[in-house]
């Protein structure tokens, strides 16, 4: 009987990890467990676009003056407003604040698109690295692999702001594109949440890339501030488990997620790439028995948009 209880605990732990694919906002529609009631009020987090200030020339002979911010792109004093003309022409000269501002602006822009087609490919990987019932680790990993399944490849049609999936299910486009488990569904990111950044030209397109700072969560503080508003997160303590099952502890590590946005010459988002590696620990209790597990996993998803 004791061995059977340990097996149940191991399987429950495997189910927790599976829910990663739901909680982090890359939901497989064919495996949805529940609907989430969310507010539909949109909060605009994108930076406002302002034109650089033009100063009137003086009538006296030109003198040597200190250059203004608009003449020196890439300095640390530039704010999160739209980049000046030199930075726009040479995105590699953009500051961190400028790149982060553009990522925020464009992800929220595509989340608000009313009519488009989204081609989404997604791969979720999960692997138990240790289990209290060690002899069950390999069988449970096999169960996880079969449940998570193969990578998905689907085309989602957005009409009047509603995303329709191949199986006929629908949801607001704002909820379809990550982040999906934040209360507002808006994409939000600040410079202090970014470890590295890059902006570069690729033909007529511009690619903006940010790598988030490493984040850790605990059972009492399960929400990573930056990942939760940029891609998503896994909250083991918030799972709806069967009666009698109690999660006693959990920790998560997000070593550095990546968000990459490609924008065409017309200012339209044509590609969004999210990569979220993670490791975690969970402990559970069922009746008189308990179990623990450590795992590693990752989300890799690519969205390609046509208008």
């Amino acid at each position: 009987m004791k061995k059977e209880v340990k097996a149940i605990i191991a399987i429950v732990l495997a189910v927790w990890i599976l829910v990663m694919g739901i909680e982090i906002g890359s939901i497989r529609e064919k495996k949805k467990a529940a609907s989430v009631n969310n507010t539909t009020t949109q909060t605009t987090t994108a930076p406002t676009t302002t034109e650089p200030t033009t100063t009137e020339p003086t009538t006296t002979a030109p003198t040597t003056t200190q250059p203004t911010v608009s003449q020196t792109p890439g300095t640390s004093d530039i704010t999160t407003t739209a980049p000046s003309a030199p930075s726009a022409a040479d995105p590699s000269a953009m500051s961190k604040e400028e790149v982060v501002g553009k990522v925020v602006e464009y992800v929220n822009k595509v989340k608000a698109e009313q009519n488009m087609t989204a081609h989404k490919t997604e791969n979720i990987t999960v692997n138990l690295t240790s289990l209290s019932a060690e002899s069950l680790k390999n069988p449970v990993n096999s169960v996880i692999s079969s449940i998570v399944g193969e990578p998905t490849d689907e085309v989602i049609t957005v009409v009047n702001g509603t995303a329709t999936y191949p199986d006929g299910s629908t949801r607001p486009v704002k909820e379809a594109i990550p982040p999906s488990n934040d209360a507002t569904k808006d994409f939000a990111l600040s410079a202090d949440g970014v470890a590295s950044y890059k902006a570069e030209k690729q033909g007529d397109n511009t690619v903006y890339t940010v790598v988030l700072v490493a984040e850790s969560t605990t059972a009492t503080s399960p929400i990573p501030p930056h990942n939760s508003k940029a891609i998503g997160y896994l909250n083991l303590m918030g799972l709806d488990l069967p009666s009698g099952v109690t999660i006693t502890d959990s920790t998560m590590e997000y070593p550095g997620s990546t968000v990459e946005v490609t924008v065409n010459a017309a200012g339209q988002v044509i590609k969004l790439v999210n990569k979220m590696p993670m490791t975690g620990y969970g402990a559970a209790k069922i009746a008189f028995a308990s179990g623990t597990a450590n795992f590693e996993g990752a989300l890799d998803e690519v969205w390609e948009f046509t208008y």
Side-chain angles (χ1 to χ4, degrees):
M1 182 66 181
K2 186 176 180 180
K3 183 177 180 180
E4 292 175 357
V5 172
K6 286 186 176 181
I8 293 172
I9 294 173
I11 293 171
V12 169
L13 289 169
V15 172
W16 294 354
I17 298 168
L18 166 65
V19 178
M20 175 181 65
I22 299 175
E23 289 291 307
I24 61 181
S26 60
I27 297 177
R28 298 181 190 278
E29 292 300 322
K30 63 182 179 181
K31 296 173 181 174
K32 281 196 301 185
S35 299
V36 180
N37 294 322
N38 300 292
T39 59
T40 57
T41 302
Q42 181 171 346
T43 303
T44 303
T45 57
T48 58
T49 303
T50 59
E51 293 296 328
T53 303
T54 303
T55 58
E56 290 295 329
T58 63
T59 56
T60 59
T63 59
T64 302
T65 59
Q66 189 69 22
T68 63
V69 171
S70 62
Q71 294 171 315
T72 55
T75 64
S76 60
D77 294 329
I78 297 178
T79 65
T80 56
T81 56
S84 59
S87 292
D90 180 13
S92 64
M94 294 174 69
S95 68
K96 177 193 283 191
E97 289 79 7
E98 289 180 295
V99 174
V100 172
K102 283 300 181 183
V103 171
V104 172
E105 175 185 352
Y106 284 120
V107 175
N108 280 319
K109 180 178 181 179
V110 77
K111 284 170 70 69
E113 287 289 348
Q114 296 298 294
N115 299 282
M116 64 179 177
T117 299
H119 177 203
K120 175 189 175 184
T121 56
E122 174 190 73
N123 186 32
I124 296 174
T125 57
V126 179
N127 180 54
L128 285 178
T129 55
S130 69
L131 195 63
S132 54
E134 189 65 25
S135 62
L136 296 173
K137 186 176 73 173
N138 289 337
V140 171
N141 268 325
S142 297
V143 171
I144 294 173
S145 296
S146 65
I147 296 176
V148 172
E150 298 297 321
T152 59
D153 187 330
E154 59 186 357
V155 175
I156 302 166
T157 304
V158 179
V159 178
N160 296 327
T162 298
T164 301
Y165 290 78
D167 65 359
S169 60
T170 62
R171 62 197 311 224
V173 64
K174 189 175 183 179
E175 297 179 13
I177 300 172
S180 297
N181 57 355
D182 177 62
T184 67
K185 304 295 184 256
D186 289 319
F187 181 100
L189 188 62
S190 57
D192 62 355
V194 173
S196 62
Y197 65 97
K198 179 174 65 174
E200 60 182 348
K201 279 287 188 182
Q202 290 186 1
D204 292 332
N205 302 326
T206 305
V207 182
Y208 304 95
T209 306
V210 292
V211 178
L212 276 58
V213 297
E215 294 190 283
S216 301
T217 64
T218 65
T220 56
S221 182
I223 301 177
H226 303 297
N227 276 275
S228 64
K229 293 182 178 296
I231 302 176
Y233 63 99
L234 171 62
N235 179 11
L236 296 184
M237 303 301 293
L239 300 183
D240 184 14
L241 297 177
S243 176
V245 180
T246 303
I247 302 174
T248 57
D249 194 16
S250 73
T251 59
M252 291 292 300
E253 301 285 341
Y254 303 89
S257 303
T258 300
V259 179
E260 176 189 293
V261 185
T262 302
V263 181
N264 64 17
Q268 297 171 312
V269 179
I270 58 174
K271 189 175 184 180
L272 171 64
V273 178
N274 289 321
K275 296 181 180 294
M276 177 185 280
M278 66 182 74
T279 59
Y281 163 82
K285 181 170 66 175
I286 300 178
F288 57 87
S290 61
T292 62
N294 289 277
F295 70 91
E296 59 185 9
L299 162 74
D300 292 291
E301 66 176 11
V302 178
W303 296 77
E304 295 175 295
F305 306 102
T306 54
Y307 303 88

